[in-house]
Amino acid sequence: RFRELVALLCVLGLTLVPMLAKAAIASSARSAATGTLTVSGAVADAYEAYRLFDAEVADGGSGDKFASDVTWASDAVRDAALPVLREAGMDASGAVAQDVAEWLDADGHMTPSLAMKLARAIRAAGVGPVAIPAGNAVELPAGYWLVVADDGAIDESQAGTAPIFVLVGGASVTVAPKAATPEVCKHVLEDSDGAWSKAADATVGDDLYWRLAATIPAGLAGYDAYTVEFVDAMSAGLDSARVASSARVYVAAGTGGGFDAVTVSGGSAGSEPADGWTDITSGCHVAVDSTANTFTVRTGDLIAALGGAEKFAAGARVVVVYNAPLRAGANRGTEKGNPNEVYLRYPRSPFSDQGGEGGYTRTPSDRATAYTWELTLTKRASDDQAPLSGAVL
């Protein structure tokens, strides 16, 4: 008899905490060959479930579940999992499913990193998942299941969680993944007071500084790397010619403390990073499309830039500062202004391929606006204030 592993919930924004129950089956408990699982919440629109172990599962009197006769779900799952466990430090020679369950149950063994490696190995082995639409109860064979978000069912402002390990059988089970997603905001530098604002007055052709700021939430677990991309679209009244030469990218650990990555003097933004910020421009890629008046800034690996997964777990702030002045044909007055809009692309889940476009989803857009004015003077007659035809001032 052994202690039951799981209901281990490893999610974005949460610490991996195993919820364990004793594995002895009470004589009065009723075993079940199947059970139902519901994945609730808005983290994704659909999930995939991979069976790790088969087991006889029963409900205890206090709401706990009990398992016995634990076996591997298949030879393919066993062959995929054992090398990962050996790498993690388990003596897997001659190990059976019960041995693995007891080892995983030991304090400190089931880390977010190990959970992700197991999930990746099982997926890479070609083991087919069971589809679970969000909010729908699905009947599954009793045992231990590994649940991940379906990358194809992650939309704007959603993000896949790290794996959820859950024991299914007996009474119905519901799990509610929680995911924190990145956010982005945009500001423009007002030269009259040296403040970053949602709107600013500017003179055509003069330096005009813009700031893109992303917050990467704390608690993201299971990622080997984490790259984001700012996608910026400027209105026709803004000139993108200075963007590539002026853009600087900075990162700071943690989600608090604001976005003052550089000092500001009057209407100009400096380039030297402020205390707590690191200039990572050299590791980023800036691409400007002057025809469409758009550009992108893709960062390098933020985990590496911050010094490792432990620091990244506290979240991060990423700031881009660049110069984009007003063109001669910019809109005058307050009716339209000259808006500048950005959104952030971020990895769909820890399983996403960050080397391709399909591995990302996005935030909603945010904008800031620059305004400029023109002054019209009319010369009038002193007696009746009538405009003087042909008069030049």
Side-chain angles (χ1 to χ4, degrees), residues 11 45 58 61 73 76 98 101 104 107 132 178 184 203 212 224 228 233 258 298 304 334 368 372 376 390:
V11 296
D45 295 330
Q98 177 174 333
L104 290 174
D107 291 343
I132 303 181
K178 296 180 181 179
V184 69
T203 300
L212 316 177
D224 292 331
V228 297
R298 179 170 288 199
T334 60
T372 194
T376 302

PDB file of all heavy atoms in Angstrom, residues 11 45 58 61 73 76 98 101 104 107 132 178 184 203 212 224 228 233 258 298 304 334 368 372 376 390:
ATOM      1  N   VAL A  11       0.164  25.363 -11.984  1.00  0.00           N
ATOM      2  CA  VAL A  11      -0.450  26.303 -12.906  1.00  0.00           C
ATOM      3  C   VAL A  11       0.322  27.594 -12.924  1.00  0.00           C
ATOM      4  O   VAL A  11       1.107  27.887 -12.037  1.00  0.00           O
ATOM      5  CB  VAL A  11      -1.919  26.578 -12.518  1.00  0.00           C
ATOM      6  CG1 VAL A  11      -2.758  25.338 -12.625  1.00  0.00           C
ATOM      7  CG2 VAL A  11      -2.003  27.150 -11.121  1.00  0.00           C
ATOM      8  N   ASP A  45      -9.813  27.071 -24.254  1.00  0.00           N
ATOM      9  CA  ASP A  45     -11.134  26.586 -24.661  1.00  0.00           C
ATOM     10  C   ASP A  45     -11.202  25.060 -24.707  1.00  0.00           C
ATOM     11  O   ASP A  45     -12.296  24.498 -24.775  1.00  0.00           O
ATOM     12  CB  ASP A  45     -11.497  27.149 -26.037  1.00  0.00           C
ATOM     13  CG  ASP A  45     -11.656  28.665 -26.007  1.00  0.00           C
ATOM     14  OD1 ASP A  45     -12.055  29.195 -24.952  1.00  0.00           O
ATOM     15  OD2 ASP A  45     -11.362  29.315 -27.025  1.00  0.00           O
ATOM     16  N   ALA A  58     -11.191   4.729  -5.352  1.00  0.00           N
ATOM     17  CA  ALA A  58     -12.404   4.771  -4.534  1.00  0.00           C
ATOM     18  C   ALA A  58     -12.414   6.053  -3.715  1.00  0.00           C
ATOM     19  O   ALA A  58     -11.393   6.702  -3.523  1.00  0.00           O
ATOM     20  CB  ALA A  58     -12.475   3.555  -3.617  1.00  0.00           C
ATOM     21  N   GLY A  61     -14.377   8.580   3.180  1.00  0.00           N
ATOM     22  CA  GLY A  61     -15.461   9.269   3.871  1.00  0.00           C
ATOM     23  C   GLY A  61     -15.269  10.757   4.007  1.00  0.00           C
ATOM     24  O   GLY A  61     -16.239  11.497   4.197  1.00  0.00           O
ATOM     25  N   ALA A  73       0.028   3.152 -17.611  1.00  0.00           N
ATOM     26  CA  ALA A  73      -1.070   3.210 -18.583  1.00  0.00           C
ATOM     27  C   ALA A  73      -0.718   2.450 -19.855  1.00  0.00           C
ATOM     28  O   ALA A  73      -1.602   1.877 -20.501  1.00  0.00           O
ATOM     29  CB  ALA A  73      -1.395   4.659 -18.915  1.00  0.00           C
ATOM     30  N   ALA A  76       4.418   2.477 -23.760  1.00  0.00           N
ATOM     31  CA  ALA A  76       4.945   3.711 -24.346  1.00  0.00           C
ATOM     32  C   ALA A  76       5.089   4.796 -23.288  1.00  0.00           C
ATOM     33  O   ALA A  76       6.095   5.528 -23.264  1.00  0.00           O
ATOM     34  CB  ALA A  76       4.038   4.189 -25.480  1.00  0.00           C
ATOM     35  N   GLN A  98       4.163   1.399  -8.942  1.00  0.00           N
ATOM     36  CA  GLN A  98       4.050   1.727  -7.520  1.00  0.00           C
ATOM     37  C   GLN A  98       5.318   2.424  -7.022  1.00  0.00           C
ATOM     38  O   GLN A  98       5.257   3.385  -6.264  1.00  0.00           O
ATOM     39  CB  GLN A  98       3.790   0.464  -6.695  1.00  0.00           C
ATOM     40  CG  GLN A  98       3.744   0.748  -5.194  1.00  0.00           C
ATOM     41  CD  GLN A  98       3.339  -0.467  -4.382  1.00  0.00           C
ATOM     42  OE1 GLN A  98       2.641  -1.340  -4.888  1.00  0.00           O
ATOM     43  NE2 GLN A  98       3.786  -0.517  -3.140  1.00  0.00           N
ATOM     44  N   ALA A 101       5.242   6.014  -8.207  1.00  0.00           N
ATOM     45  CA  ALA A 101       4.275   6.811  -7.457  1.00  0.00           C
ATOM     46  C   ALA A 101       4.817   7.181  -6.079  1.00  0.00           C
ATOM     47  O   ALA A 101       4.688   8.324  -5.630  1.00  0.00           O
ATOM     48  CB  ALA A 101       2.964   6.041  -7.324  1.00  0.00           C
ATOM     49  N   LEU A 104       7.610   9.826  -6.547  1.00  0.00           N
ATOM     50  CA  LEU A 104       7.049  11.137  -6.877  1.00  0.00           C
ATOM     51  C   LEU A 104       6.354  11.764  -5.670  1.00  0.00           C
ATOM     52  O   LEU A 104       6.292  12.987  -5.541  1.00  0.00           O
ATOM     53  CB  LEU A 104       6.055  11.014  -8.036  1.00  0.00           C
ATOM     54  CG  LEU A 104       6.657  10.690  -9.406  1.00  0.00           C
ATOM     55  CD1 LEU A 104       5.548  10.443 -10.411  1.00  0.00           C
ATOM     56  CD2 LEU A 104       7.562  11.811  -9.884  1.00  0.00           C
ATOM     57  N   ASP A 107       8.795  14.284  -0.710  1.00  0.00           N
ATOM     58  CA  ASP A 107       8.906  15.746  -0.688  1.00  0.00           C
ATOM     59  C   ASP A 107       9.965  16.241  -1.668  1.00  0.00           C
ATOM     60  O   ASP A 107      11.093  15.752  -1.692  1.00  0.00           O
ATOM     61  CB  ASP A 107       9.263  16.238   0.714  1.00  0.00           C
ATOM     62  CG  ASP A 107       8.114  16.040   1.695  1.00  0.00           C
ATOM     63  OD1 ASP A 107       6.978  15.844   1.228  1.00  0.00           O
ATOM     64  OD2 ASP A 107       8.373  16.059   2.910  1.00  0.00           O
ATOM     65  N   ILE A 132     -10.666  17.234 -24.047  1.00  0.00           N
ATOM     66  CA  ILE A 132     -11.586  17.669 -22.999  1.00  0.00           C
ATOM     67  C   ILE A 132     -11.991  19.112 -23.270  1.00  0.00           C
ATOM     68  O   ILE A 132     -11.224  20.042 -23.003  1.00  0.00           O
ATOM     69  CB  ILE A 132     -10.948  17.562 -21.596  1.00  0.00           C
ATOM     70  CG1 ILE A 132     -10.492  16.131 -21.329  1.00  0.00           C
ATOM     71  CG2 ILE A 132     -11.916  18.030 -20.526  1.00  0.00           C
ATOM     72  CD1 ILE A 132      -9.879  15.935 -19.966  1.00  0.00           C
ATOM     73  N   LYS A 178      -5.696  28.173 -13.257  1.00  0.00           N
ATOM     74  CA  LYS A 178      -5.651  29.631 -13.217  1.00  0.00           C
ATOM     75  C   LYS A 178      -4.383  30.086 -13.915  1.00  0.00           C
ATOM     76  O   LYS A 178      -3.310  29.576 -13.643  1.00  0.00           O
ATOM     77  CB  LYS A 178      -5.658  30.135 -11.769  1.00  0.00           C
ATOM     78  CG  LYS A 178      -6.931  29.784 -11.021  1.00  0.00           C
ATOM     79  CD  LYS A 178      -6.879  30.303  -9.588  1.00  0.00           C
ATOM     80  CE  LYS A 178      -8.143  29.926  -8.827  1.00  0.00           C
ATOM     81  NZ  LYS A 178      -8.109  30.402  -7.415  1.00  0.00           N
ATOM     82  N   VAL A 184       0.331  44.827 -21.642  1.00  0.00           N
ATOM     83  CA  VAL A 184       1.175  45.820 -22.279  1.00  0.00           C
ATOM     84  C   VAL A 184       0.490  47.183 -22.220  1.00  0.00           C
ATOM     85  O   VAL A 184      -0.740  47.267 -22.261  1.00  0.00           O
ATOM     86  CB  VAL A 184       1.488  45.429 -23.740  1.00  0.00           C
ATOM     87  CG1 VAL A 184       0.244  45.528 -24.619  1.00  0.00           C
ATOM     88  CG2 VAL A 184       2.626  46.255 -24.309  1.00  0.00           C
ATOM     89  N   THR A 203       5.838  69.250 -31.664  1.00  0.00           N
ATOM     90  CA  THR A 203       6.077  70.027 -32.878  1.00  0.00           C
ATOM     91  C   THR A 203       6.540  69.083 -33.985  1.00  0.00           C
ATOM     92  O   THR A 203       7.330  68.172 -33.746  1.00  0.00           O
ATOM     93  CB  THR A 203       7.157  71.094 -32.619  1.00  0.00           C
ATOM     94  OG1 THR A 203       6.713  71.952 -31.577  1.00  0.00           O
ATOM     95  CG2 THR A 203       7.430  71.904 -33.874  1.00  0.00           C
ATOM     96  N   LEU A 212       6.965  51.580 -24.666  1.00  0.00           N
ATOM     97  CA  LEU A 212       6.160  50.365 -24.612  1.00  0.00           C
ATOM     98  C   LEU A 212       6.555  49.621 -23.350  1.00  0.00           C
ATOM     99  O   LEU A 212       7.740  49.429 -23.095  1.00  0.00           O
ATOM    100  CB  LEU A 212       6.421  49.477 -25.833  1.00  0.00           C
ATOM    101  CG  LEU A 212       6.491  50.175 -27.193  1.00  0.00           C
ATOM    102  CD1 LEU A 212       6.823  49.167 -28.283  1.00  0.00           C
ATOM    103  CD2 LEU A 212       5.191  50.893 -27.484  1.00  0.00           C
ATOM    104  N   ASP A 224      11.208  26.634 -20.452  1.00  0.00           N
ATOM    105  CA  ASP A 224      12.656  26.584 -20.617  1.00  0.00           C
ATOM    106  C   ASP A 224      13.181  27.920 -21.117  1.00  0.00           C
ATOM    107  O   ASP A 224      14.324  28.297 -20.853  1.00  0.00           O
ATOM    108  CB  ASP A 224      13.045  25.484 -21.610  1.00  0.00           C
ATOM    109  CG  ASP A 224      12.757  24.099 -21.060  1.00  0.00           C
ATOM    110  OD1 ASP A 224      12.794  23.927 -19.827  1.00  0.00           O
ATOM    111  OD2 ASP A 224      12.478  23.192 -21.863  1.00  0.00           O
ATOM    112  N   VAL A 228       9.052  37.439 -25.822  1.00  0.00           N
ATOM    113  CA  VAL A 228       7.863  38.205 -26.189  1.00  0.00           C
ATOM    114  C   VAL A 228       8.188  39.109 -27.368  1.00  0.00           C
ATOM    115  O   VAL A 228       9.355  39.385 -27.667  1.00  0.00           O
ATOM    116  CB  VAL A 228       7.331  39.046 -25.012  1.00  0.00           C
ATOM    117  CG1 VAL A 228       6.893  38.154 -23.866  1.00  0.00           C
ATOM    118  CG2 VAL A 228       8.359  40.072 -24.545  1.00  0.00           C
ATOM    119  N   ALA A 233       1.987  49.716 -34.343  1.00  0.00           N
ATOM    120  CA  ALA A 233       1.414  50.289 -35.562  1.00  0.00           C
ATOM    121  C   ALA A 233       1.213  51.788 -35.367  1.00  0.00           C
ATOM    122  O   ALA A 233       0.468  52.212 -34.474  1.00  0.00           O
ATOM    123  CB  ALA A 233       0.082  49.623 -35.906  1.00  0.00           C
ATOM    124  N   GLY A 258       7.158  50.116 -11.249  1.00  0.00           N
ATOM    125  CA  GLY A 258       6.954  51.005 -12.385  1.00  0.00           C
ATOM    126  C   GLY A 258       7.819  50.676 -13.578  1.00  0.00           C
ATOM    127  O   GLY A 258       8.493  49.645 -13.641  1.00  0.00           O
ATOM    128  N   ARG A 298      11.328  41.986 -31.005  1.00  0.00           N
ATOM    129  CA  ARG A 298      11.298  40.663 -30.375  1.00  0.00           C
ATOM    130  C   ARG A 298      12.482  40.535 -29.423  1.00  0.00           C
ATOM    131  O   ARG A 298      13.620  40.753 -29.806  1.00  0.00           O
ATOM    132  CB  ARG A 298      11.333  39.548 -31.419  1.00  0.00           C
ATOM    133  CG  ARG A 298      11.339  38.146 -30.787  1.00  0.00           C
ATOM    134  CD  ARG A 298      11.121  37.050 -31.804  1.00  0.00           C
ATOM    135  NE  ARG A 298       9.753  37.038 -32.282  1.00  0.00           N
ATOM    136  CZ  ARG A 298       9.193  35.985 -32.887  1.00  0.00           C
ATOM    137  NH1 ARG A 298       9.883  34.868 -33.061  1.00  0.00           N
ATOM    138  NH2 ARG A 298       7.948  36.046 -33.318  1.00  0.00           N
ATOM    139  N   ALA A 304      16.844  33.829 -19.354  1.00  0.00           N
ATOM    140  CA  ALA A 304      18.300  33.968 -19.329  1.00  0.00           C
ATOM    141  C   ALA A 304      18.707  35.398 -18.994  1.00  0.00           C
ATOM    142  O   ALA A 304      19.672  35.623 -18.245  1.00  0.00           O
ATOM    143  CB  ALA A 304      18.881  33.557 -20.683  1.00  0.00           C
ATOM    144  N   THR A 334      -7.492  68.364 -32.034  1.00  0.00           N
ATOM    145  CA  THR A 334      -7.839  67.271 -31.123  1.00  0.00           C
ATOM    146  C   THR A 334      -8.806  66.250 -31.707  1.00  0.00           C
ATOM    147  O   THR A 334      -9.027  65.205 -31.117  1.00  0.00           O
ATOM    148  CB  THR A 334      -8.479  67.844 -29.850  1.00  0.00           C
ATOM    149  OG1 THR A 334      -9.668  68.583 -30.208  1.00  0.00           O
ATOM    150  CG2 THR A 334      -7.513  68.770 -29.121  1.00  0.00           C
ATOM    151  N   ALA A 368      -1.359  55.359 -27.346  1.00  0.00           N
ATOM    152  CA  ALA A 368      -1.115  56.718 -26.880  1.00  0.00           C
ATOM    153  C   ALA A 368      -1.199  57.609 -28.117  1.00  0.00           C
ATOM    154  O   ALA A 368      -1.087  57.130 -29.250  1.00  0.00           O
ATOM    155  CB  ALA A 368       0.249  56.834 -26.211  1.00  0.00           C
ATOM    156  N   THR A 372      -0.661  67.889 -32.474  1.00  0.00           N
ATOM    157  CA  THR A 372       0.040  69.098 -32.867  1.00  0.00           C
ATOM    158  C   THR A 372      -0.996  70.107 -33.353  1.00  0.00           C
ATOM    159  O   THR A 372      -2.165  69.762 -33.546  1.00  0.00           O
ATOM    160  CB  THR A 372       1.107  68.828 -33.945  1.00  0.00           C
ATOM    161  OG1 THR A 372       1.968  69.956 -34.053  1.00  0.00           O
ATOM    162  CG2 THR A 372       0.480  68.522 -35.300  1.00  0.00           C
ATOM    163  N   THR A 376      -3.498  80.084 -37.227  1.00  0.00           N
ATOM    164  CA  THR A 376      -3.889  80.877 -38.390  1.00  0.00           C
ATOM    165  C   THR A 376      -4.114  82.319 -37.950  1.00  0.00           C
ATOM    166  O   THR A 376      -4.924  82.574 -37.045  1.00  0.00           O
ATOM    167  CB  THR A 376      -5.174  80.323 -39.028  1.00  0.00           C
ATOM    168  OG1 THR A 376      -4.949  78.964 -39.399  1.00  0.00           O
ATOM    169  CG2 THR A 376      -5.579  81.138 -40.237  1.00  0.00           C
ATOM    170  N   GLY A 390      -5.680  90.121 -49.425  1.00  0.00           N
ATOM    171  CA  GLY A 390      -4.311  90.205 -49.905  1.00  0.00           C
ATOM    172  C   GLY A 390      -3.301  90.645 -48.883  1.00  0.00           C
ATOM    173  O   GLY A 390      -2.099  90.710 -49.187  1.00  0.00           O
TER     174      GLY A 390
END
